[in-house]
Amino acid sequence: MADEPELIQLTTENGLTRRRFLAAAGTTAVGAVAFTGCMPWGPPDREYQAQSRVNVSEDTLTAFENWYATGCRQCDAGCGVIVRVVEGRSKKIEGNPDHPVNRGKLCARGQAGVQEQYHPDRIQGPLKRSGNRGSGAYQPISWDAALKELADTLQAARGQAGQIALFTSSLRAHQHTVADSFARAIGAQRLILDPLGEAPLREAVRRVYGQDVLPDFDIQNARYVLSFGADFLGPWLSQVHYSMAYGIFRSGNYAAGRFQPRRTGSPRGYLVQVDPHFSMTAANADEWVPIQPGGEGLLALSMAQVITSERLGDASAVSAIGSGLDAYRPETVAPKIGVTAARIQQLARDFASRRPALAIGGGVAAAHTNGTETMAAVLALNALVGSVGRSGGVQFNPASPIDGLSAGVSGSKLSDWQGMAERLGRGQVQVVLVHDTNPVYSLPGALRFREALASAPYVVSFSSFMDETTVMADLILPLHTQLEDWGDDVPNPGPGVQVLTLQQPIVQPMYDTRSVWDVLISVGQMLGGSVQQALPWPTFRDLLRQDARTLQQQGRGSVRDADFERFWTKMLQQGGWWDESRTGAAGQTPSISNVVSGYKLATFSPGSDQEYPLNLVVFPHNTLGAGETAHLPWLQAAPDPVTSATWQTWVELNPAMAKSMSLREGDIVRVESPNGSVEVPVYIHPAAPPTVLAMPMGQGHTGFGRWAQQRGANPMVLLAPLADEATGAVAYAATRVRLSVTGRHMPLPKFEGNVEAVQIPELEVAKVTRTV
């Protein structure tokens, strides 16, 4: 963090005085800049300017509060937040009302950021392993000694090709810049682990629409939304953004920066969810279509066949999709997917007639070996009804506001991780660096990655918590939390306009931690030569300021000022920069000619249908995601919105199957696949299809703090090592399992309530009517 003071602007409506302001500023992060409030076109006319002091007496106390704008890092949505700080302590996190992604709203994960800040199990300083690997025995080490040891180890390994590996999550913006530059400079193989990154959808968008970033699905202006597996009211891509759009889709519109009711006579949006799992979005839909897992692409192609054969679509698109659709007539497809032919026809006719109509795909529908082809078939439906590049349809996002600034890259292929596990096991990798990812926990159990990592001579973890991968490290370098660190973000998917979210440290670091980006820059300086040249900035903050000058020179967007220091301060006050006049280009004519000919059927894990008769549907937990926030007790205690279960893994079971096995809620069953087994309590779900077992991700940690460890089960141990053929992404819905009774029982922790039964005797379409 820089030592020089920064210009700070605050509104005067709250009666701020210079004395009160300086007292408050002294107990927060050095140079942190306070949020100025809602200002669509810039700062308010009346403002108070003051020059903050770097150091204020430690015994200065005040009850005065400040709100600081920054970015949320609890998931990949890229929301903007404001943080309430009193006497140097963060008290509350809320959505930034100015931010285009979330407009002042925030999910439970974002609000739980304060618990991560004050978590009692945070690693408080650098640690060096003192016992057997995996034992958790460590001793303190100084930062100077730790960085020298790291630099010396890297220097020794650099001379041998393929000896260094860097594991990260899918980083964006300048975080990606530093990580990628560092990896290239030291000759490291960088692998990206992103279990919920939607790589098949991203590849399908590239193929069909010619876009490198995800589009903005304009739910709020659609009349009819058809979602294939995308739980957009749950933890899918940008939950807050889509949930806000859904509210407008149902009851109103958003104009001039404020919510407005729908005009009299304006039709209420209609939602259909195609999903083998009764998700949050399915529960809110007008119609839920339970489908045989892996059949989503067949349904999309069958709908396309009806639209083209009955001449319900746009003539140019009907011509472009070409021949071959006759093989997907409803009567041919229906027995394969468990949806009646009559219902397929009705879905197609409704979709084509209720325009603007929007088809979305993702989640479990994309988590198959044919995930990319399935997503391409879904996206092609938008082209058939003229919903590409128009309001209420698919609207393209603009490029990054800074040339070359990454909006994220897809995760590495499963085959790359398999290859890495083999190389680690053979001792062919000398140094492993891990940041913001937990491959020991998150990869399919069939890869046995923990055993492979144990063979690496030297492992470094940049982590604030002792998770399953960090406990295997020789050196642990603890990091600042999101409230203590600098950063930025380019949301992907974006909200349809150019956005750069800026993250500033708003409280002083609690412990002896550092920014991972400053650590990599420091190590680069210690290594010198080409590595230092690849990372030429003194600090990560300097890199952010360097590219902020690029935005300033453009003279547009939500922040404008001829003086850079004032421009920088205004960016910090606002929580970033955005230009709502810069929307995405029209894009190329959708390429749908290969959608039919390129389609392949989904394949599943080895084993006969008789031996493993059930489809396992693994879905992200509403607040724990894929397990990355399981250490936070607020999120553990947040009830699942459908089952109301908390603090535990469960498996959702069809009532008829439960009756045939004499099972009741809370009975513990064993779920087995060819790759492993877990034991979990049963939740008898009235809307569970009879051939599907659904289980949430997120639990089953063996470490990761007191609130995560030894709680529930990790369904990733069951997964077959199968991947989407086009992108190599893990096909986490492609595993078949079997069920057996253990004879044990436990109370399933959940909120009590009445659930209206939904009878599904066969795997056919079910219509859930809702009272509005």
Side-chain angles (χ1 to χ4, degrees):
M1 191 176 300
D3 291 332
E4 72 271 15
E6 297 190 2
L7 186 66
I8 298 183
Q9 297 176 321
L10 294 170
T11 58
T12 59
E13 281 89 5
N14 55 9
L16 177 66
T17 68
R18 180 180 178 85
R19 180 186 299 274
R20 294 173 66 191
F21 167 67
L22 292 176
T27 53
T28 58
V30 177
V33 179
F35 179 64
T36 55
C38 303
M39 43 180 192
W41 306 112
D45 293 333
R46 295 189 301 159
E47 61 188 32
Y48 182 91
Q49 296 185 343
Q51 194 74 12
S52 71
R53 297 185 307 208
V54 174
N55 296 310
V56 177
S57 175
E58 289 294 330
D59 60 359
T60 300
L61 297 177
T62 175
F64 182 73
E65 66 178 27
N66 278 332
W67 287 86
Y68 295 90
T70 186
C72 182
R73 291 288 183 189
Q74 295 299 100
C75 76
D76 290 334
C79 293
V81 297
I82 55 176
V83 185
R84 178 176 179 256
V85 177
V86 178
E87 297 179 357
R89 296 279 181 169
S90 54
K91 300 291 187 179
K92 187 73 169 69
I93 301 178
E94 293 286 359
N96 184 341
D98 287 345
H99 201 281
V101 170
N102 55 316
R103 300 289 186 187
K105 310 301 181 185
L106 196 63
C107 70
R109 292 177 69 169
Q111 303 237 4
V114 291
Q115 285 202 319
E116 185 170 66
Q117 174 72 18
Y118 303 118
H119 200 294
D121 297 327
R122 277 185 67 181
I123 300 172
Q124 300 181 12
L127 299 174
K128 182 180 176 67
R129 181 165 64 88
S130 59
N132 294 331
R133 176 165 286 171
S135 66
Y138 289 88
Q139 62 184 12
I141 183 175
S142 69
W143 271 103
D144 288 344
L147 294 183
K148 183 180 186 305
E149 179 177 311
L150 174 58
D152 290 345
T153 305
L154 290 174
Q155 187 66 45
R158 285 181 61 203
Q160 309 171 55
Q163 294 297 301
I164 306 174
L166 174 61
F167 304 156
T168 73
S169 60
S170 181
L171 304 170
R172 296 196 293 240
H174 290 95
Q175 289 78 206
H176 170 80
T177 299
V178 174
D180 195 60
S181 298
F182 183 81
R184 292 176 184 274
I186 65 172
Q189 179 184 2
R190 183 184 172 197
L191 291 186
I192 298 169
L193 182 56
D194 193 6
L196 304 177
E198 297 289 343
L201 174 60
R202 297 176 192 274
E203 174 61 17
V205 166
R206 188 192 65 79
R207 291 185 182 184
V208 177
Y209 299 145
Q211 299 289 308
D212 293 327
V213 296
L214 289 176
D216 182 29
F217 296 110
D218 192 13
I219 295 171
Q220 67 185 38
N221 292 312
R223 285 188 61 194
Y224 189 96
V225 173
L226 178 62
S227 170
F228 290 77
D231 187 16
F232 62 84
L233 297 181
W236 184 72
L237 290 180
S238 191
Q239 180 179 7
V240 176
H241 181 67
Y242 293 136
S243 295
M244 292 176 61
Y246 171 78
I248 300 166
F249 165 78
R250 285 301 201 187
S251 58
N253 59 65
Y254 198 83
R258 62 181 61 189
F259 180 82
Q260 298 178 347
R262 281 186 183 269
R263 296 183 298 273
T264 303
S266 179
R268 171 183 177 273
Y270 195 88
L271 172 63
V272 177
Q273 179 75 4
V274 178
D275 203 326
H277 168 240
F278 193 70
S279 63
M280 179 65 171
T281 306
N284 284 273
D286 297 280
E287 298 182 38
W288 171 50
V289 182
I291 190 170
Q292 186 69 26
E296 295 87 351
L298 291 173
L299 174 59
L301 291 175
S302 190
M303 289 179 60
Q305 193 278 332
V306 174
I307 292 172
T308 56
S309 65
E310 298 184 5
R311 301 183 182 277
L312 302 175
D314 288 10
S316 59
V318 169
S319 175
I321 201 168
S323 59
L325 282 174
D326 284 346
Y328 300 98
R329 294 178 180 274
E331 56 271 21
T332 303
V333 168
K336 302 176 183 179
I337 65 174
V339 180
T340 63
R343 190 65 192 124
I344 296 174
Q345 293 170 338
Q346 190 60 51
L347 285 171
R349 292 163 186 162
D350 289 347
F351 183 76
S353 61
R354 298 185 183 184
R355 303 191 189 186
L358 173 63
I360 306 173
V364 296
H368 288 279
T369 57
N370 65 345
T372 298
E373 288 76 20
T374 293
M375 293 299 98
V378 170
L379 297 178
L381 292 175
N382 293 308
L384 288 177
V385 298
S387 290
V388 179
R390 63 160 295 178
S391 176
V394 178
Q395 295 188 324
F396 299 124
N397 273 300
S400 170
I402 300 174
D403 290 342
L405 193 61
S406 174
V409 294
S410 295
S412 300
K413 296 180 179 181
L414 179 63
S415 59
D416 291 337
W417 285 103
Q418 290 172 315
M420 176 58 67
E422 293 171 0
R423 292 183 60 221
L424 286 169
R426 292 195 295 263
Q428 296 175 343
V429 179
Q430 296 301 308
V431 183
V432 176
L433 311 177
V434 185
H435 166 63
D436 195 33
T437 192
N438 187 1
V440 170
Y441 172 87
S442 300
L443 286 171
L447 270 65
R448 302 190 180 280
F449 204 80
R450 187 181 191 279
E451 290 83 349
L453 191 61
S455 300
Y458 194 74
V459 178
V460 181
S461 177
F462 301 93
S463 177
S464 295
F465 294 91
M466 195 70 71
D467 60 27
E468 289 82 355
T469 301
T470 299
V471 77
M472 302 294 289
D474 298 276
L475 185 66
I476 301 175
L477 302 179
L479 307 178
H480 295 334
T481 67
Q482 67 173 26
L483 301 183
E484 301 168 339
D485 207 0
W486 289 100
D488 65 342
D489 195 12
V490 178
N492 184 11
V497 301
Q498 283 189 330
V499 177
L500 178 68
T501 305
L502 192 55
Q503 174 190 337
Q504 64 170 322
I506 55 91
V507 294
Q508 294 280 9
M510 286 190 65
Y511 303 116
D512 189 16
T513 57
R514 293 190 182 182
S515 165
V516 63
W517 317 117
D518 284 339
V519 169
L520 295 183
I521 291 172
S522 296
V523 171
Q525 294 170 349
M526 296 171 70
L527 292 173
S530 60
V531 184
Q532 185 174 12
Q533 293 174 7
L535 304 165
W537 318 280
T539 67
F540 185 61
R541 175 179 174 274
D542 291 301
L543 170 59
L544 297 179
R545 283 170 58 86
Q546 170 186 295
D547 278 0
R549 292 182 184 274
T550 303
L551 289 179
Q552 181 213 10
Q553 293 165 5
Q554 295 179 20
R556 61 183 179 88
S558 57
V559 180
R560 306 178 193 182
D561 202 296
D563 180 83
F564 175 71
E565 293 302 330
R566 288 198 298 266
F567 176 85
W568 173 253
T569 299
K570 291 176 182 178
M571 280 187 65
L572 294 176
Q573 290 175 325
Q574 185 176 264
W577 175 99
W578 37 87
D579 188 348
E580 300 196 32
S581 68
R582 292 294 179 100
T583 57
Q588 67 179 36
T589 301
S591 177
I592 58 177
S593 59
N594 296 325
V595 168
V596 181
S597 60
Y599 185 77
K600 303 175 182 177
L601 294 177
T603 58
F604 293 86
S605 56
S608 66
D609 291 350
Q610 291 75 29
E611 187 178 6
Y612 297 99
L614 302 171
N615 293 99
L616 177 66
V617 172
V618 176
F619 61 94
H621 191 283
N622 187 58
T623 53
L624 307 184
E628 58 273 14
T629 54
H631 60 309
L632 302 179
W634 279 357
L635 303 184
Q636 286 278 3
D640 176 75
V642 177
T643 66
S644 79
T646 65
W647 292 96
Q648 185 56 258
T649 308
W650 65 92
V651 60
E652 298 173 9
L653 194 61
N654 177 270
M657 177 178 290
K659 184 177 181 180
S660 68
M661 300 179 70
S662 300
L663 291 171
R664 59 191 177 96
E665 182 181 290
D667 284 348
I668 297 176
V669 295
R670 182 177 296 106
V671 182
E672 298 178 85
S673 76
N675 307 290
S677 66
V678 297
E679 294 185 356
V680 290
V682 164
Y683 177 84
I684 301 175
H685 202 310
T691 63
V692 173
L693 295 182
M695 190 182 305
M697 303 177 182
Q699 301 282 18
H701 285 276
T702 57
F704 207 20
R706 68 191 68 185
W707 288 296
Q709 64 188 17
Q710 308 305 326
R711 188 174 302 283
N714 181 8
M716 304 302 284
V717 305
L718 299 171
L719 297 191
L722 296 176
D724 171 49
E725 293 185 9
T727 66
V730 175
Y732 59 84
T735 301
R736 295 190 190 275
V737 295
R738 63 189 177 201
L739 195 68
S740 59
V741 179
T742 67
R744 304 196 308 276
H745 179 87
M746 65 167 289
L748 179 64
K750 70 183 186 69
F751 284 72
E752 297 297 332
N754 295 323
V755 180
E756 181 181 353
V758 180
Q759 299 298 327
I760 310 178
E762 299 177 3
L763 191 57
E764 295 184 352
V765 66
K767 183 170 183 176
V768 181
T769 35
R770 300 182 54 81
T771 302
V772 181

